[in-house]
Amino acid sequence: MDTYKQIEKLYADKYNRPVSEKRKSIGDFMLTENHAVDVKSNKEGGNNFSPNMGSAVKIYNWLLNEENDLSYIFVDYNIDADFNEINVTSDTDLIPIEHISWDCLVIRAQGNGMIQKPKPLKINKNQTRKEFIEGLRGAYKEFVDKERIKLDKNERYIVNDNQLTENLI
């Protein structure tokens, strides 16, 4: 079993919940029918540059339903070389997504946009869900603007560039 799957199971077991079996579920396990929990693990000394928090569209849709909650647990670990065991060196309690500051998040190109955490975790317990969603909207606008520029450039190059076709004729 992959290390991240073992860590997800460890935390699902801690809350006496089964690990989500659906590959594309919103969280790694559900505390309740409407409260998803996503475990983000980081191997110390590894190259975890910008962990994926989830699909921007999926998270947005989930949060629009006021009955839904989404929390994260951040886990740092290493592997004991002698026993090949996972050692959790630090973890967080459940952190509601709306308390994660957009100062440490971005949306980058993967599918319809993936929320990523390229900077150290920054918590703002005073931030509301509405404020988090407004931050998501702003970050998504930035993402779309960058994608539009990139796609326009690629369209000019691939679709409108007749050099290759003219050279082949």
Side-chain angles (χ1 to χ4, degrees), residues 86-123:
I86 298 169
N87 292 320
V88 172
T89 56
S90 69
D91 62 6
T92 65
D93 289 327
L94 293 169
I95 301 172
I97 192 168
E98 57 263 25
H99 292 168
I100 301 174
S101 171
W102 278 98
D103 291 344
C104 68
L105 301 174
V106 296
I107 298 177
R108 293 199 175 130
Q110 287 180 2
N112 288 322
M114 184 66 66
I115 298 175
Q116 296 182 329
K117 188 181 76 62
K119 300 175 187 169
L121 181 64
K122 185 174 178 184
I123 303 296

PDB file of all heavy atoms in Angstrom, residues 86-123:
ATOM      1  N   ILE A  86       6.400   4.144   8.990  1.00  0.00           N
ATOM      2  CA  ILE A  86       6.065   5.556   8.877  1.00  0.00           C
ATOM      3  C   ILE A  86       6.116   6.182  10.265  1.00  0.00           C
ATOM      4  O   ILE A  86       5.486   5.681  11.202  1.00  0.00           O
ATOM      5  CB  ILE A  86       4.650   5.729   8.287  1.00  0.00           C
ATOM      6  CG1 ILE A  86       4.586   5.142   6.880  1.00  0.00           C
ATOM      7  CG2 ILE A  86       4.236   7.201   8.303  1.00  0.00           C
ATOM      8  CD1 ILE A  86       3.187   5.038   6.321  1.00  0.00           C
ATOM      9  N   ASN A  87       6.880   7.270  10.392  1.00  0.00           N
ATOM     10  CA  ASN A  87       6.922   8.047  11.633  1.00  0.00           C
ATOM     11  C   ASN A  87       6.277   9.399  11.362  1.00  0.00           C
ATOM     12  O   ASN A  87       6.817  10.197  10.598  1.00  0.00           O
ATOM     13  CB  ASN A  87       8.366   8.286  12.097  1.00  0.00           C
ATOM     14  CG  ASN A  87       9.043   7.022  12.542  1.00  0.00           C
ATOM     15  OD1 ASN A  87       8.442   6.172  13.187  1.00  0.00           O
ATOM     16  ND2 ASN A  87      10.308   6.888  12.185  1.00  0.00           N
ATOM     17  N   VAL A  88       5.116   9.645  11.969  1.00  0.00           N
ATOM     18  CA  VAL A  88       4.481  10.956  11.865  1.00  0.00           C
ATOM     19  C   VAL A  88       5.240  11.880  12.797  1.00  0.00           C
ATOM     20  O   VAL A  88       5.343  11.631  13.996  1.00  0.00           O
ATOM     21  CB  VAL A  88       2.990  10.887  12.235  1.00  0.00           C
ATOM     22  CG1 VAL A  88       2.385  12.280  12.310  1.00  0.00           C
ATOM     23  CG2 VAL A  88       2.236  10.018  11.227  1.00  0.00           C
ATOM     24  N   THR A  89       5.808  12.942  12.243  1.00  0.00           N
ATOM     25  CA  THR A  89       6.597  13.877  13.054  1.00  0.00           C
ATOM     26  C   THR A  89       5.779  15.088  13.493  1.00  0.00           C
ATOM     27  O   THR A  89       6.097  15.700  14.502  1.00  0.00           O
ATOM     28  CB  THR A  89       7.852  14.336  12.290  1.00  0.00           C
ATOM     29  OG1 THR A  89       7.444  14.906  11.053  1.00  0.00           O
ATOM     30  CG2 THR A  89       8.791  13.160  12.038  1.00  0.00           C
ATOM     31  N   SER A  90       4.752  15.427  12.717  1.00  0.00           N
ATOM     32  CA  SER A  90       3.832  16.485  13.131  1.00  0.00           C
ATOM     33  C   SER A  90       2.541  16.360  12.341  1.00  0.00           C
ATOM     34  O   SER A  90       2.528  15.813  11.234  1.00  0.00           O
ATOM     35  CB  SER A  90       4.446  17.877  12.937  1.00  0.00           C
ATOM     36  OG  SER A  90       4.581  18.165  11.571  1.00  0.00           O
ATOM     37  N   ASP A  91       1.474  16.834  12.939  1.00  0.00           N
ATOM     38  CA  ASP A  91       0.189  16.872  12.253  1.00  0.00           C
ATOM     39  C   ASP A  91      -0.645  18.001  12.827  1.00  0.00           C
ATOM     40  O   ASP A  91      -0.290  18.588  13.853  1.00  0.00           O
ATOM     41  CB  ASP A  91      -0.540  15.527  12.337  1.00  0.00           C
ATOM     42  CG  ASP A  91      -0.890  15.104  13.755  1.00  0.00           C
ATOM     43  OD1 ASP A  91      -0.681  15.880  14.707  1.00  0.00           O
ATOM     44  OD2 ASP A  91      -1.379  13.974  13.928  1.00  0.00           O
ATOM     45  N   THR A  92      -1.710  18.313  12.136  1.00  0.00           N
ATOM     46  CA  THR A  92      -2.621  19.348  12.599  1.00  0.00           C
ATOM     47  C   THR A  92      -3.914  18.690  13.046  1.00  0.00           C
ATOM     48  O   THR A  92      -4.182  17.531  12.709  1.00  0.00           O
ATOM     49  CB  THR A  92      -2.954  20.358  11.483  1.00  0.00           C
ATOM     50  OG1 THR A  92      -3.677  19.676  10.446  1.00  0.00           O
ATOM     51  CG2 THR A  92      -1.700  21.012  10.922  1.00  0.00           C
ATOM     52  N   ASP A  93      -4.696  19.446  13.782  1.00  0.00           N
ATOM     53  CA  ASP A  93      -6.071  19.041  14.021  1.00  0.00           C
ATOM     54  C   ASP A  93      -6.831  19.277  12.726  1.00  0.00           C
ATOM     55  O   ASP A  93      -6.260  19.750  11.739  1.00  0.00           O
ATOM     56  CB  ASP A  93      -6.681  19.887  15.151  1.00  0.00           C
ATOM     57  CG  ASP A  93      -6.087  19.529  16.519  1.00  0.00           C
ATOM     58  OD1 ASP A  93      -5.744  18.349  16.739  1.00  0.00           O
ATOM     59  OD2 ASP A  93      -5.977  20.447  17.355  1.00  0.00           O
ATOM     60  N   LEU A  94      -8.107  18.998  12.737  1.00  0.00           N
ATOM     61  CA  LEU A  94      -8.935  19.311  11.581  1.00  0.00           C
ATOM     62  C   LEU A  94      -8.935  20.816  11.347  1.00  0.00           C
ATOM     63  O   LEU A  94      -9.178  21.595  12.278  1.00  0.00           O
ATOM     64  CB  LEU A  94     -10.375  18.853  11.830  1.00  0.00           C
ATOM     65  CG  LEU A  94     -10.611  17.350  11.934  1.00  0.00           C
ATOM     66  CD1 LEU A  94     -12.004  17.074  12.446  1.00  0.00           C
ATOM     67  CD2 LEU A  94     -10.394  16.692  10.590  1.00  0.00           C
ATOM     68  N   ILE A  95      -8.647  21.219  10.130  1.00  0.00           N
ATOM     69  CA  ILE A  95      -8.660  22.640   9.768  1.00  0.00           C
ATOM     70  C   ILE A  95      -9.747  22.840   8.717  1.00  0.00           C
ATOM     71  O   ILE A  95      -9.627  22.323   7.605  1.00  0.00           O
ATOM     72  CB  ILE A  95      -7.298  23.095   9.199  1.00  0.00           C
ATOM     73  CG1 ILE A  95      -6.186  22.862  10.219  1.00  0.00           C
ATOM     74  CG2 ILE A  95      -7.362  24.564   8.773  1.00  0.00           C
ATOM     75  CD1 ILE A  95      -4.793  23.100   9.675  1.00  0.00           C
ATOM     76  N   PRO A  96     -10.797  23.581   9.060  1.00  0.00           N
ATOM     77  CA  PRO A  96     -11.821  23.870   8.050  1.00  0.00           C
ATOM     78  C   PRO A  96     -11.203  24.641   6.887  1.00  0.00           C
ATOM     79  O   PRO A  96     -10.371  25.530   7.093  1.00  0.00           O
ATOM     80  CB  PRO A  96     -12.838  24.739   8.796  1.00  0.00           C
ATOM     81  CG  PRO A  96     -12.585  24.484  10.251  1.00  0.00           C
ATOM     82  CD  PRO A  96     -11.119  24.175  10.359  1.00  0.00           C
ATOM     83  N   ILE A  97     -11.597  24.297   5.675  1.00  0.00           N
ATOM     84  CA  ILE A  97     -10.998  24.941   4.496  1.00  0.00           C
ATOM     85  C   ILE A  97     -11.145  26.446   4.550  1.00  0.00           C
ATOM     86  O   ILE A  97     -10.246  27.177   4.133  1.00  0.00           O
ATOM     87  CB  ILE A  97     -11.554  24.370   3.174  1.00  0.00           C
ATOM     88  CG1 ILE A  97     -10.682  24.855   2.003  1.00  0.00           C
ATOM     89  CG2 ILE A  97     -13.027  24.708   2.999  1.00  0.00           C
ATOM     90  CD1 ILE A  97     -10.946  24.156   0.693  1.00  0.00           C
ATOM     91  N   GLU A  98     -12.243  26.931   5.093  1.00  0.00           N
ATOM     92  CA  GLU A  98     -12.432  28.383   5.101  1.00  0.00           C
ATOM     93  C   GLU A  98     -11.462  29.109   6.017  1.00  0.00           C
ATOM     94  O   GLU A  98     -11.341  30.324   5.958  1.00  0.00           O
ATOM     95  CB  GLU A  98     -13.876  28.769   5.450  1.00  0.00           C
ATOM     96  CG  GLU A  98     -14.379  28.245   6.755  1.00  0.00           C
ATOM     97  CD  GLU A  98     -15.191  26.964   6.598  1.00  0.00           C
ATOM     98  OE1 GLU A  98     -15.001  26.227   5.614  1.00  0.00           O
ATOM     99  OE2 GLU A  98     -16.005  26.698   7.493  1.00  0.00           O
ATOM    100  N   HIS A  99     -10.733  28.378   6.852  1.00  0.00           N
ATOM    101  CA  HIS A  99      -9.715  28.990   7.707  1.00  0.00           C
ATOM    102  C   HIS A  99      -8.324  28.985   7.069  1.00  0.00           C
ATOM    103  O   HIS A  99      -7.375  29.490   7.650  1.00  0.00           O
ATOM    104  CB  HIS A  99      -9.668  28.299   9.069  1.00  0.00           C
ATOM    105  CG  HIS A  99     -10.899  28.547   9.881  1.00  0.00           C
ATOM    106  ND1 HIS A  99     -11.181  27.849  11.025  1.00  0.00           N
ATOM    107  CD2 HIS A  99     -11.927  29.419   9.718  1.00  0.00           C
ATOM    108  CE1 HIS A  99     -12.330  28.270  11.521  1.00  0.00           C
ATOM    109  NE2 HIS A  99     -12.795  29.221  10.737  1.00  0.00           N
ATOM    110  N   ILE A 100      -8.211  28.393   5.877  1.00  0.00           N
ATOM    111  CA  ILE A 100      -6.927  28.393   5.174  1.00  0.00           C
ATOM    112  C   ILE A 100      -6.860  29.650   4.321  1.00  0.00           C
ATOM    113  O   ILE A 100      -7.714  29.895   3.472  1.00  0.00           O
ATOM    114  CB  ILE A 100      -6.762  27.120   4.313  1.00  0.00           C
ATOM    115  CG1 ILE A 100      -6.839  25.877   5.213  1.00  0.00           C
ATOM    116  CG2 ILE A 100      -5.437  27.169   3.549  1.00  0.00           C
ATOM    117  CD1 ILE A 100      -6.841  24.562   4.463  1.00  0.00           C
ATOM    118  N   SER A 101      -5.856  30.457   4.577  1.00  0.00           N
ATOM    119  CA  SER A 101      -5.713  31.744   3.903  1.00  0.00           C
ATOM    120  C   SER A 101      -5.305  31.557   2.443  1.00  0.00           C
ATOM    121  O   SER A 101      -4.479  30.691   2.118  1.00  0.00           O
ATOM    122  CB  SER A 101      -4.657  32.582   4.628  1.00  0.00           C
ATOM    123  OG  SER A 101      -4.353  33.733   3.891  1.00  0.00           O
ATOM    124  N   TRP A 102      -5.839  32.419   1.598  1.00  0.00           N
ATOM    125  CA  TRP A 102      -5.430  32.413   0.193  1.00  0.00           C
ATOM    126  C   TRP A 102      -4.013  32.923   0.021  1.00  0.00           C
ATOM    127  O   TRP A 102      -3.440  32.830  -1.061  1.00  0.00           O
ATOM    128  CB  TRP A 102      -6.432  33.188  -0.666  1.00  0.00           C
ATOM    129  CG  TRP A 102      -7.591  32.308  -1.004  1.00  0.00           C
ATOM    130  CD1 TRP A 102      -8.796  32.253  -0.380  1.00  0.00           C
ATOM    131  CD2 TRP A 102      -7.619  31.304  -2.013  1.00  0.00           C
ATOM    132  NE1 TRP A 102      -9.585  31.269  -0.931  1.00  0.00           N
ATOM    133  CE2 TRP A 102      -8.875  30.675  -1.948  1.00  0.00           C
ATOM    134  CE3 TRP A 102      -6.713  30.862  -2.967  1.00  0.00           C
ATOM    135  CZ2 TRP A 102      -9.240  29.639  -2.795  1.00  0.00           C
ATOM    136  CZ3 TRP A 102      -7.072  29.833  -3.815  1.00  0.00           C
ATOM    137  CH2 TRP A 102      -8.322  29.229  -3.729  1.00  0.00           C
ATOM    138  N   ASP A 103      -3.394  33.433   1.089  1.00  0.00           N
ATOM    139  CA  ASP A 103      -1.994  33.849   1.032  1.00  0.00           C
ATOM    140  C   ASP A 103      -1.059  32.668   0.787  1.00  0.00           C
ATOM    141  O   ASP A 103       0.081  32.854   0.363  1.00  0.00           O
ATOM    142  CB  ASP A 103      -1.576  34.547   2.328  1.00  0.00           C
ATOM    143  CG  ASP A 103      -2.230  35.902   2.502  1.00  0.00           C
ATOM    144  OD1 ASP A 103      -2.759  36.451   1.511  1.00  0.00           O
ATOM    145  OD2 ASP A 103      -2.230  36.421   3.636  1.00  0.00           O
ATOM    146  N   CYS A 104      -1.537  31.440   1.062  1.00  0.00           N
ATOM    147  CA  CYS A 104      -0.682  30.263   0.849  1.00  0.00           C
ATOM    148  C   CYS A 104      -1.229  29.352  -0.250  1.00  0.00           C
ATOM    149  O   CYS A 104      -0.691  28.280  -0.487  1.00  0.00           O
ATOM    150  CB  CYS A 104      -0.492  29.486   2.154  1.00  0.00           C
ATOM    151  SG  CYS A 104      -1.966  28.659   2.786  1.00  0.00           S
ATOM    152  N   LEU A 105      -2.287  29.783  -0.928  1.00  0.00           N
ATOM    153  CA  LEU A 105      -2.923  28.968  -1.959  1.00  0.00           C
ATOM    154  C   LEU A 105      -2.881  29.655  -3.318  1.00  0.00           C
ATOM    155  O   LEU A 105      -2.833  30.881  -3.401  1.00  0.00           O
ATOM    156  CB  LEU A 105      -4.393  28.700  -1.593  1.00  0.00           C
ATOM    157  CG  LEU A 105      -4.672  27.996  -0.279  1.00  0.00           C
ATOM    158  CD1 LEU A 105      -6.178  27.945  -0.024  1.00  0.00           C
ATOM    159  CD2 LEU A 105      -4.070  26.606  -0.268  1.00  0.00           C
ATOM    160  N   VAL A 106      -2.925  28.846  -4.368  1.00  0.00           N
ATOM    161  CA  VAL A 106      -3.058  29.334  -5.746  1.00  0.00           C
ATOM    162  C   VAL A 106      -3.900  28.316  -6.509  1.00  0.00           C
ATOM    163  O   VAL A 106      -4.109  27.198  -6.048  1.00  0.00           O
ATOM    164  CB  VAL A 106      -1.694  29.497  -6.470  1.00  0.00           C
ATOM    165  CG1 VAL A 106      -0.846  30.548  -5.819  1.00  0.00           C
ATOM    166  CG2 VAL A 106      -0.967  28.178  -6.570  1.00  0.00           C
ATOM    167  N   ILE A 107      -4.339  28.720  -7.687  1.00  0.00           N
ATOM    168  CA  ILE A 107      -5.000  27.781  -8.597  1.00  0.00           C
ATOM    169  C   ILE A 107      -4.117  27.673  -9.824  1.00  0.00           C
ATOM    170  O   ILE A 107      -3.726  28.684 -10.418  1.00  0.00           O
ATOM    171  CB  ILE A 107      -6.420  28.240  -8.962  1.00  0.00           C
ATOM    172  CG1 ILE A 107      -7.280  28.315  -7.694  1.00  0.00           C
ATOM    173  CG2 ILE A 107      -7.037  27.290  -9.991  1.00  0.00           C
ATOM    174  CD1 ILE A 107      -8.689  28.826  -7.918  1.00  0.00           C
ATOM    175  N   ARG A 108      -3.783  26.435 -10.168  1.00  0.00           N
ATOM    176  CA  ARG A 108      -2.903  26.189 -11.317  1.00  0.00           C
ATOM    177  C   ARG A 108      -3.567  25.226 -12.288  1.00  0.00           C
ATOM    178  O   ARG A 108      -4.553  24.572 -11.964  1.00  0.00           O
ATOM    179  CB  ARG A 108      -1.565  25.627 -10.834  1.00  0.00           C
ATOM    180  CG  ARG A 108      -0.794  26.669 -10.021  1.00  0.00           C
ATOM    181  CD  ARG A 108       0.661  26.333  -9.935  1.00  0.00           C
ATOM    182  NE  ARG A 108       1.404  27.378  -9.262  1.00  0.00           N
ATOM    183  CZ  ARG A 108       2.244  27.173  -8.276  1.00  0.00           C
ATOM    184  NH1 ARG A 108       2.488  25.942  -7.849  1.00  0.00           N
ATOM    185  NH2 ARG A 108       2.893  28.173  -7.724  1.00  0.00           N
ATOM    186  N   ALA A 109      -2.972  25.139 -13.461  1.00  0.00           N
ATOM    187  CA  ALA A 109      -3.563  24.384 -14.558  1.00  0.00           C
ATOM    188  C   ALA A 109      -3.421  22.880 -14.388  1.00  0.00           C
ATOM    189  O   ALA A 109      -2.324  22.352 -14.452  1.00  0.00           O
ATOM    190  CB  ALA A 109      -2.940  24.818 -15.879  1.00  0.00           C
ATOM    191  N   GLN A 110      -4.493  22.278 -14.134  1.00  0.00           N
ATOM    192  CA  GLN A 110      -4.696  20.828 -14.203  1.00  0.00           C
ATOM    193  C   GLN A 110      -6.194  20.683 -14.360  1.00  0.00           C
ATOM    194  O   GLN A 110      -6.949  21.080 -13.464  1.00  0.00           O
ATOM    195  CB  GLN A 110      -4.225  20.111 -12.941  1.00  0.00           C
ATOM    196  CG  GLN A 110      -2.736  20.027 -12.794  1.00  0.00           C
ATOM    197  CD  GLN A 110      -2.336  19.293 -11.516  1.00  0.00           C
ATOM    198  OE1 GLN A 110      -3.162  18.824 -10.762  1.00  0.00           O
ATOM    199  NE2 GLN A 110      -1.048  19.212 -11.284  1.00  0.00           N
ATOM    200  N   GLY A 111      -6.649  20.165 -15.472  1.00  0.00           N
ATOM    201  CA  GLY A 111      -8.090  20.081 -15.696  1.00  0.00           C
ATOM    202  C   GLY A 111      -8.706  21.472 -15.685  1.00  0.00           C
ATOM    203  O   GLY A 111      -8.255  22.370 -16.371  1.00  0.00           O
ATOM    204  N   ASN A 112      -9.718  21.653 -14.842  1.00  0.00           N
ATOM    205  CA  ASN A 112     -10.395  22.945 -14.733  1.00  0.00           C
ATOM    206  C   ASN A 112      -9.763  23.858 -13.692  1.00  0.00           C
ATOM    207  O   ASN A 112     -10.351  24.866 -13.322  1.00  0.00           O
ATOM    208  CB  ASN A 112     -11.875  22.741 -14.386  1.00  0.00           C
ATOM    209  CG  ASN A 112     -12.663  22.193 -15.542  1.00  0.00           C
ATOM    210  OD1 ASN A 112     -12.429  22.574 -16.683  1.00  0.00           O
ATOM    211  ND2 ASN A 112     -13.582  21.303 -15.269  1.00  0.00           N
ATOM    212  N   GLY A 113      -8.597  23.496 -13.211  1.00  0.00           N
ATOM    213  CA  GLY A 113      -7.908  24.295 -12.200  1.00  0.00           C
ATOM    214  C   GLY A 113      -7.816  23.526 -10.894  1.00  0.00           C
ATOM    215  O   GLY A 113      -8.800  22.981 -10.412  1.00  0.00           O
ATOM    216  N   MET A 114      -6.619  23.460 -10.353  1.00  0.00           N
ATOM    217  CA  MET A 114      -6.360  22.731  -9.120  1.00  0.00           C
ATOM    218  C   MET A 114      -5.881  23.721  -8.060  1.00  0.00           C
ATOM    219  O   MET A 114      -4.961  24.494  -8.310  1.00  0.00           O
ATOM    220  CB  MET A 114      -5.278  21.673  -9.379  1.00  0.00           C
ATOM    221  CG  MET A 114      -4.974  20.774  -8.225  1.00  0.00           C
ATOM    222  SD  MET A 114      -6.317  19.685  -7.741  1.00  0.00           S
ATOM    223  CE  MET A 114      -6.471  18.632  -9.161  1.00  0.00           C
ATOM    224  N   ILE A 115      -6.524  23.688  -6.890  1.00  0.00           N
ATOM    225  CA  ILE A 115      -6.044  24.512  -5.784  1.00  0.00           C
ATOM    226  C   ILE A 115      -4.803  23.828  -5.234  1.00  0.00           C
ATOM    227  O   ILE A 115      -4.817  22.636  -4.942  1.00  0.00           O
ATOM    228  CB  ILE A 115      -7.116  24.667  -4.685  1.00  0.00           C
ATOM    229  CG1 ILE A 115      -8.356  25.367  -5.239  1.00  0.00           C
ATOM    230  CG2 ILE A 115      -6.544  25.444  -3.493  1.00  0.00           C
ATOM    231  CD1 ILE A 115      -9.519  25.462  -4.254  1.00  0.00           C
ATOM    232  N   GLN A 116      -3.720  24.597  -5.125  1.00  0.00           N
ATOM    233  CA  GLN A 116      -2.459  24.072  -4.615  1.00  0.00           C
ATOM    234  C   GLN A 116      -1.958  24.950  -3.480  1.00  0.00           C
ATOM    235  O   GLN A 116      -2.310  26.129  -3.389  1.00  0.00           O
ATOM    236  CB  GLN A 116      -1.408  24.003  -5.722  1.00  0.00           C
ATOM    237  CG  GLN A 116      -1.767  23.037  -6.824  1.00  0.00           C
ATOM    238  CD  GLN A 116      -0.690  22.940  -7.878  1.00  0.00           C
ATOM    239  OE1 GLN A 116       0.023  23.887  -8.151  1.00  0.00           O
ATOM    240  NE2 GLN A 116      -0.568  21.762  -8.480  1.00  0.00           N
ATOM    241  N   LYS A 117      -1.109  24.368  -2.638  1.00  0.00           N
ATOM    242  CA  LYS A 117      -0.520  25.076  -1.498  1.00  0.00           C
ATOM    243  C   LYS A 117       0.996  25.136  -1.699  1.00  0.00           C
ATOM    244  O   LYS A 117       1.736  24.321  -1.188  1.00  0.00           O
ATOM    245  CB  LYS A 117      -0.855  24.362  -0.186  1.00  0.00           C
ATOM    246  CG  LYS A 117      -0.434  25.152   1.055  1.00  0.00           C
ATOM    247  CD  LYS A 117      -0.768  24.414   2.333  1.00  0.00           C
ATOM    248  CE  LYS A 117       0.154  23.288   2.646  1.00  0.00           C
ATOM    249  NZ  LYS A 117       1.551  23.611   2.857  1.00  0.00           N
ATOM    250  N   PRO A 118       1.483  26.175  -2.446  1.00  0.00           N
ATOM    251  CA  PRO A 118       2.917  26.261  -2.708  1.00  0.00           C
ATOM    252  C   PRO A 118       3.716  26.925  -1.583  1.00  0.00           C
ATOM    253  O   PRO A 118       4.934  26.922  -1.619  1.00  0.00           O
ATOM    254  CB  PRO A 118       2.985  27.102  -3.975  1.00  0.00           C
ATOM    255  CG  PRO A 118       1.795  27.990  -3.875  1.00  0.00           C
ATOM    256  CD  PRO A 118       0.726  27.161  -3.192  1.00  0.00           C
ATOM    257  N   LYS A 119       3.020  27.495  -0.612  1.00  0.00           N
ATOM    258  CA  LYS A 119       3.679  28.215   0.482  1.00  0.00           C
ATOM    259  C   LYS A 119       3.324  27.560   1.807  1.00  0.00           C
ATOM    260  O   LYS A 119       2.376  26.774   1.886  1.00  0.00           O
ATOM    261  CB  LYS A 119       3.224  29.676   0.484  1.00  0.00           C
ATOM    262  CG  LYS A 119       3.540  30.423  -0.799  1.00  0.00           C
ATOM    263  CD  LYS A 119       2.949  31.817  -0.761  1.00  0.00           C
ATOM    264  CE  LYS A 119       3.124  32.502  -2.114  1.00  0.00           C
ATOM    265  NZ  LYS A 119       2.340  33.735  -2.191  1.00  0.00           N
ATOM    266  N   PRO A 120       4.058  27.896   2.862  1.00  0.00           N
ATOM    267  CA  PRO A 120       3.720  27.338   4.175  1.00  0.00           C
ATOM    268  C   PRO A 120       2.279  27.671   4.563  1.00  0.00           C
ATOM    269  O   PRO A 120       1.755  28.741   4.238  1.00  0.00           O
ATOM    270  CB  PRO A 120       4.714  28.020   5.124  1.00  0.00           C
ATOM    271  CG  PRO A 120       5.864  28.411   4.251  1.00  0.00           C
ATOM    272  CD  PRO A 120       5.263  28.737   2.915  1.00  0.00           C
ATOM    273  N   LEU A 121       1.663  26.739   5.241  1.00  0.00           N
ATOM    274  CA  LEU A 121       0.275  26.867   5.671  1.00  0.00           C
ATOM    275  C   LEU A 121       0.072  28.141   6.476  1.00  0.00           C
ATOM    276  O   LEU A 121       0.845  28.443   7.384  1.00  0.00           O
ATOM    277  CB  LEU A 121      -0.110  25.642   6.513  1.00  0.00           C
ATOM    278  CG  LEU A 121      -1.540  25.591   7.028  1.00  0.00           C
ATOM    279  CD1 LEU A 121      -2.528  25.513   5.862  1.00  0.00           C
ATOM    280  CD2 LEU A 121      -1.711  24.391   7.953  1.00  0.00           C
ATOM    281  N   LYS A 122      -0.963  28.879   6.122  1.00  0.00           N
ATOM    282  CA  LYS A 122      -1.327  30.086   6.858  1.00  0.00           C
ATOM    283  C   LYS A 122      -2.814  29.980   7.222  1.00  0.00           C
ATOM    284  O   LYS A 122      -3.655  29.845   6.334  1.00  0.00           O
ATOM    285  CB  LYS A 122      -1.054  31.335   6.023  1.00  0.00           C
ATOM    286  CG  LYS A 122      -1.303  32.618   6.784  1.00  0.00           C
ATOM    287  CD  LYS A 122      -0.882  33.835   5.970  1.00  0.00           C
ATOM    288  CE  LYS A 122      -1.181  35.106   6.745  1.00  0.00           C
ATOM    289  NZ  LYS A 122      -0.864  36.295   5.949  1.00  0.00           N
ATOM    290  N   ILE A 123      -3.086  30.034   8.515  1.00  0.00           N
ATOM    291  CA  ILE A 123      -4.444  29.870   9.026  1.00  0.00           C
ATOM    292  C   ILE A 123      -5.004  31.232   9.426  1.00  0.00           C
ATOM    293  O   ILE A 123      -4.306  32.045  10.036  1.00  0.00           O
ATOM    294  CB  ILE A 123      -4.449  28.941  10.268  1.00  0.00           C
ATOM    295  CG1 ILE A 123      -3.831  27.579   9.927  1.00  0.00           C
ATOM    296  CG2 ILE A 123      -5.843  28.786  10.848  1.00  0.00           C
ATOM    297  CD1 ILE A 123      -4.587  26.785   8.919  1.00  0.00           C
TER     298      ILE A 123
END
